[in-house]
Amino acid sequence: MNGYGGKILRVNLTTGKITKEQTPADVARDFIGGRGFGAYFLYKEVPQGADPLGPDNKLIISSGPMSGLMIPGAGKCDFTTKSPLTGGYASASMGGHFTAEIKYAGLDSIILEGISPKPVYLFINDDKIELRDAKEFWGMGTISVEKQFKDKLGEEYQVAVIGPGGENVVPYACINHDFGRQAGRGGVGAVMGVKKVKAIVIHGTKSIPVSDTTAYRQAGKALYKACKDASFLAEWTRYGTTVVTSWCDEVGALPTRNFSAGSFEDGKNLYGSVMRDKIVITDKGCFGCPSPCGKYSRSKKYSSYVEGPEYETIGLMGSNLGISDIEAVAQANLLADDAGLDTISAGNAIGWAMECYENGIFTKTDTDGVDLRFGNVEATFELIGKISRKEGLGALLSEGVKKASQKIGKGSEKFAIHVKGMEQSAYATHNATAMLLAYMTCDVGAHHNRAWAITYDLQVGRDLVVPEKVARVIWLQNFRPMFDVLGGCRLQWVELGIDRDLYIPALEAITGIHRTWVDYEKVGERIWNLTRMFWARENNGFGRSWDLPAPRFYEEAPKSGATKGQITKIEDVHRLLDMYYEQRGWNKDGMPTPERLSALNLAELVA
Amino acid sequence: MQLYVDSTKCSGCNACRVACSLNLFGESNPKKSALVIKPHFPVPGVYEVKVCTQCGDCAAVCPEEAIKLNSKGAWYVDFDQCNLCEACVPECPEDVMFVRVELANAAWKCDLCGDCVDMCGTSALWIEEKETAGV
């Protein structure tokens, strides 16, 4: 199949059996690849009620038809599983060079099944595929393990590895790659850890077949030219995602002290310009990227090197913890990366604990004797390690803010900032209704990347609750994740503003199939509805109440900053949902109607 | 003319290498490209890029005279004449002369097509007359 590696690799960890099958043409037609393959295989193959940490759950790792080809940003890899954090659908996207290598090894997806009796790593060198003993690596940090594999096997091998967080099955453990790229969210690293897979190392030398080489080369060149001609290229490349830090602070979107406000009085010390001048040494790109947002940094203060911090980490491990030293944030980032923890969820968990301490819900008896006030850098470093080892207060925080707050009670549920059990990423949404709706309805929980609607809020009026806003969120949710389906990056479109129609001839030349963006968006809608059905299948009583945001955003206005005194009314939260469900073709409780499922060719799959 | 690189500007994305393989072989496969990117991570956190300087040392030792000059003044491998003897490989001062029999049935090297330069988003690569280049 043009544009594809051509095979699905299945690794049964319980039996050690490794098999390959043809990538099914009908699945490629209806779900295309990447996140689409993940959603399809998850729904079809993971039995209803499967324990996320049991042998029936699977970890589905997929490239897409863009991956590894001459398309800007063709380096995104999808990791899909039933989430141990939320009990629902998890899909985490990882940049770097791993997804390209999957294709060069002649594969499209790697499906890990069962549970290995002992620590192993999966070794792939083209058609030589083996499970190997990982005893010597078990217990080690991600950076050291990746370095050892690179030294031993060479730079052409790509490595995805879990840290102690994944080994100890922290439900928000991540998977690390390329010394700083992560499949971060939803606990994909915990699933890999419970399966006892320390790492996947992969090397491929195969060329990816395309339908029309001349047209593909021409269309690929046009895409790169558009990126290089973009007026924002230089600034974007200089700051990467941290380009938004100052803007978020100014408009009240920068999570501050556990999302109690959206502006940080010391925020200036965390801005992209400060970080660039102080610590950034190298721009680091994912595969095929002409606009590398990765910033590789060196902290003199801590004598350490780390990729990042990204904006999300600055928000959650900086301002959200009352920390204003960019070098401290970089160090916290490094500790979390090495331990294999998602910085977004970990930052939320620590922020929640700090708030519990400041308002007397926790005393030093609960915090292992630590003065856990906002701004305590050393305590933050300490807690990252404790969470990864499930030790002391870290054991509670490792459960995520939803479960931790349910255990502790005393009103702490009100400032547990999550949707569906997934901690919110770094946009404070007290008064940004489209972004709030995006978080409420995101398919994995409170994550931003499906519909990054906050700039739209500011454009059209942040407190407006109108059908147009809802329509915008839905369109973004159908369109943006298509990049995760195609195995590429959305940021050339989002940040450089290149014409999305430039992708169409490139994709046609690669796959030989003509599709417009309307066609792709329909696939996006199909996947969105399928994952919604997965949530409902796996969770009794799933529906509207699961889509509600953290009470902080409708009950408790910030006392300072750009959004001081501003809040979204609970009536407006429900109006947003009413409009959203109606426009999606869902019923009043937020479930897809049989008619909608039929129209999306999903009726048979979900029957 | 010669291909130049400023490694400090390289972000390791490999777009240049895919473009190179597409030019040389009509395939998308960075293992079949004529540039090398060596990442040095986690410390010191930099990329090192190796490119052909068109020094001609490879051509000088080729027993088949399969490495020839093209209209751009670049040495290229005439695939039909290469006998895979590998005499050229150790002569290359930059390690960018390739023979990998499992991948291709001829040696390959940079022919100065310029596609790598076109793909590079960070302007780490450029082509210039040898005598005027300011590196």
Side-chain angles (χ1 to χ4, degrees):
Chain A
M1 263 193 312
N2 287 317
Y4 290 83
K7 294 279 199 303
I8 306 291
L9 176 69
R10 278 181 198 277
V11 180
N12 187 318
L13 295 153
T14 308
T15 63
K17 195 176 165 199
I18 295 171
T19 52
K20 275 188 200 172
E21 64 212 34
Q22 292 289 336
T23 300
D26 57 338
V27 180
R29 180 195 63 208
D30 293 343
F31 295 92
I32 297 180
R35 199 176 85 94
F37 278 13
Y40 172 82
F41 288 122
L42 178 74
Y43 198 95
K44 183 119 177 18
E45 297 187 3
V46 173
Q48 183 173 1
D51 177 357
L53 300 175
D56 288 340
N57 196 14
K58 300 189 182 191
L59 182 61
I60 304 147
I61 305 163
S62 304
S63 64
M66 276 185 190
S67 303
L69 288 168
M70 200 178 75
I71 303 290
K76 285 285 195 172
C77 191
D78 178 83
F79 290 71
T80 289
T81 195
K82 182 176 177 183
S83 171
L85 180 67
T86 68
Y89 164 69
S91 155
S93 175
M94 181 179 86
H97 301 262
F98 196 81
T99 198
E101 215 61 32
I102 290 177
K103 295 280 286 289
Y104 301 141
L107 302 172
D108 294 307
S109 297
I110 300 168
I111 304 181
L112 301 182
E113 309 177 342
I115 289 181
S116 171
K118 60 172 190 178
V120 291
Y121 70 93
L122 177 61
F123 174 89
I124 302 171
N125 180 16
D126 281 327
D127 297 326
K128 184 177 181 183
I129 304 173
E130 297 169 352
L131 285 170
R132 295 183 173 177
D133 192 351
K135 202 166 110 190
E136 62 182 303
F137 302 115
W138 204 252
M140 285 184 189
T142 62
I143 291 162
S144 155
V145 173
E146 180 163 13
K147 175 74 176 145
Q148 288 179 62
F149 278 122
K150 290 276 188 182
D151 288 347
K152 190 174 155 190
L153 300 167
E155 285 292 344
E156 283 193 348
Y157 275 78
Q158 299 301 333
V159 182
V161 57
I162 59 163
E167 293 174 14
N168 296 325
V169 201
V170 173
Y172 49 84
C174 63
I175 297 167
N176 291 252
H177 160 61
D178 198 24
F179 303 104
R181 288 277 150 188
Q182 285 85 27
R185 309 231 63 198
V188 289
V191 174
M192 193 156 146
V194 84
K195 292 185 179 305
K196 297 260 192 321
V197 178
K198 180 67 180 178
I200 302 170
V201 297
I202 184 165
H203 176 246
T205 62
K206 297 173 190 178
S207 299
I208 303 165
V210 300
S211 172
D212 181 340
T213 303
T214 308
Y216 147 65
R217 193 174 172 193
Q218 193 180 348
K221 282 186 170 186
L223 275 161
Y224 277 94
K225 184 173 187 315
C227 293
K228 290 177 70 170
D229 289 346
S231 58
F232 194 49
L233 176 69
E235 193 178 346
W236 170 254
T237 302
R238 186 160 174 77
Y239 301 113
T241 60
T242 74
V243 80
V244 300
T245 314
S246 56
W247 181 82
C248 286
D249 194 22
E250 282 156 19
V251 304
L254 182 69
T256 300
R257 295 191 179 81
N258 197 33
F259 288 86
S260 62
S263 306
F264 184 35
E265 67 279 8
D266 294 323
K268 286 188 172 56
N269 299 327
L270 298 172
Y271 288 0
S273 53
V274 173
M275 174 172 142
R276 179 84 209 188
D277 292 345
K278 231 176 166 175
I279 60 173
V280 174
I281 55 170
T282 300
D283 298 319
K284 191 161 173 282
C286 297
F287 181 89
C289 179
S291 48
C293 66
K295 303 296 138 221
Y296 201 74
S297 299
R298 178 169 66 112
S299 162
K300 286 185 187 159
K301 190 171 178 177
Y302 295 101
S303 305
S304 59
Y305 291 76
V306 65
E307 180 170 343
E310 297 271 350
Y311 167 69
E312 297 296 326
T313 303
I314 292 169
L316 272 315
M317 291 195 153
S319 49
N320 201 49
L321 305 183
I323 291 172
S324 58
D325 173 6
I326 193 71
E327 289 195 68
V329 178
Q331 183 64 12
N333 193 159
L334 175 65
L335 294 171
D337 285 2
D338 200 41
L341 295 179
D342 169 24
T343 55
I344 298 174
S345 284
N348 265 280
I350 296 168
W352 172 82
M354 285 176 165
E355 185 159 352
C356 283
Y357 182 77
E358 292 229 354
N359 66 18
I361 294 175
F362 283 168
T363 65
K364 281 191 178 173
T365 318
D366 306 295
T367 62
D368 313 323
V370 174
D371 185 26
L372 197 58
R373 278 179 296 190
F374 284 110
N376 190 335
V377 170
E378 288 305 319
T380 299
F381 294 169
E382 190 68 27
L383 269 176
I384 292 167
K386 283 184 174 175
I387 291 168
S388 74
R389 298 186 298 271
K390 295 188 171 174
E391 180 187 300
L393 177 61
L396 177 74
L397 300 185
S398 77
E399 297 189 42
V401 298
K402 181 184 176 187
K403 285 183 186 158
S405 66
Q406 283 170 348
K407 269 193 181 168
I408 295 301
K410 300 178 186 172
S412 69
E413 303 95 324
K414 298 224 170 201
F415 54 84
I417 311 301
H418 71 92
V419 178
K420 301 180 180 67
M422 178 181 276
E423 290 75 14
Q424 183 155 325
S425 62
Y427 299 93
T429 43
H430 302 89
N431 186 15
T433 51
M435 194 68 223
L436 185 70
L437 180 66
Y439 276 129
M440 289 157 60
T441 55
C442 173
D443 55 2
V444 291
H447 195 52
H448 60 284
N449 79 339
R450 272 54 169 182
W452 192 65
I454 193 148
T455 49
Y456 186 73
D457 275 317
L458 272 289
Q459 272 170 35
V460 300
R462 58 194 304 164
D463 58 350
L464 274 185
V465 176
V466 291
E468 292 77 10
K469 252 195 187 183
V470 174
R472 176 79 179 187
V473 169
I474 291 173
W475 174 70
L476 287 169
Q477 289 175 339
N478 290 343
F479 166 57
R480 284 174 51 117
M482 283 312 297
F483 285 95
D484 302 322
V485 171
L486 293 161
C489 182
R490 65 179 65 75
L491 292 179
Q492 284 74 30
W493 172 75
V494 176
E495 301 294 347
L496 303 183
I498 66 168
D499 181 354
R500 69 176 190 156
D501 286 340
L502 289 170
Y503 290 98
I504 295 298
L507 289 165
E508 182 170 350
I510 290 167
T511 61
I513 299 166
H514 177 72
R515 292 187 180 99
T516 65
W517 275 118
V518 172
D519 300 325
Y520 284 116
E521 284 164 16
K522 183 151 188 193
V523 175
E525 188 185 359
R526 178 178 300 134
I527 297 166
W528 199 267
N529 278 265
L530 181 62
T531 60
R532 187 78 179 177
M533 295 304 288
F534 183 78
W535 276 97
R537 193 187 80 179
E538 300 302 318
N539 295 280
N540 288 332
F542 181 81
R544 175 183 282 258
S545 65
W546 290 63
D547 289 334
L548 292 176
R552 178 145 277 173
F553 300 122
Y554 56 82
E555 284 185 355
E556 200 185 342
K559 294 184 178 66
S560 62
T563 50
K564 182 180 174 182
Q566 297 173 20
I567 204 151
T568 306
K569 295 192 215 73
I570 186 67
E571 306 86 77
D572 283 339
V573 168
H574 282 290
R575 278 178 59 216
L576 285 166
L577 284 180
D578 288 340
M579 288 188 273
Y580 181 88
Y581 296 158
E582 190 189 339
Q583 289 188 32
R584 275 272 180 210
W586 294 356
N587 70 22
K588 287 192 181 334
D589 199 33
M591 289 318 303
T593 58
E595 297 74 34
R596 197 73 220 119
L597 293 171
S598 283
L600 293 166
N601 298 330
L602 283 173
E604 199 181 325
L605 185 58
V606 303
Chain B
M1 301 291 268
Q2 184 183 330
L3 177 62
Y4 289 90
V5 62
D6 177 353
S7 285
T8 63
K9 288 185 176 172
C10 175
S11 71
C13 84
N14 281 277
C16 56
R17 298 181 70 225
V18 187
C20 182
S21 67
L22 204 45
N23 167 65
L24 285 171
F25 296 99
E27 296 175 27
S28 298
N29 187 346
K31 273 94 183 176
K32 296 174 81 166
S33 83
L35 303 90
V36 171
I37 301 174
K38 293 183 180 173
H40 297 290
F41 289 86
V43 177
V46 295
Y47 295 96
E48 180 189 1
V49 187
K50 296 285 188 185
V51 299
C52 175
T53 63
Q54 303 298 342
C55 70
D57 288 359
C58 51
V61 299
C62 178
E64 300 293 317
E65 297 187 2
I67 303 177
K68 303 172 179 175
L69 273 178
N70 66 17
S71 59
K72 291 179 178 174
W75 296 101
Y76 74 100
V77 179
D78 184 335
F79 288 171
D80 292 337
Q81 271 180 249
C82 174
N83 69 357
L84 293 167
C85 73
E86 298 192 38
C88 53
V89 174
E91 293 304 310
C92 181
E94 302 296 323
D95 293 331
V96 286
M97 183 77 231
F98 299 89
V99 175
R100 286 176 83 166
V101 289
E102 75 280 16
L103 296 184
N105 54 10
W108 73 83
K109 70 175 293 297
C110 169
D111 65 4
L112 219 51
C113 76
D115 282 5
C116 55
V117 176
D118 288 347
M119 297 312 125
C120 182
T122 58
S123 306
L125 294 163
W126 70 97
I127 290 172
E128 211 172 321
E129 291 291 349
K130 281 192 185 188
E131 56 270 28
T132 59
V135 280

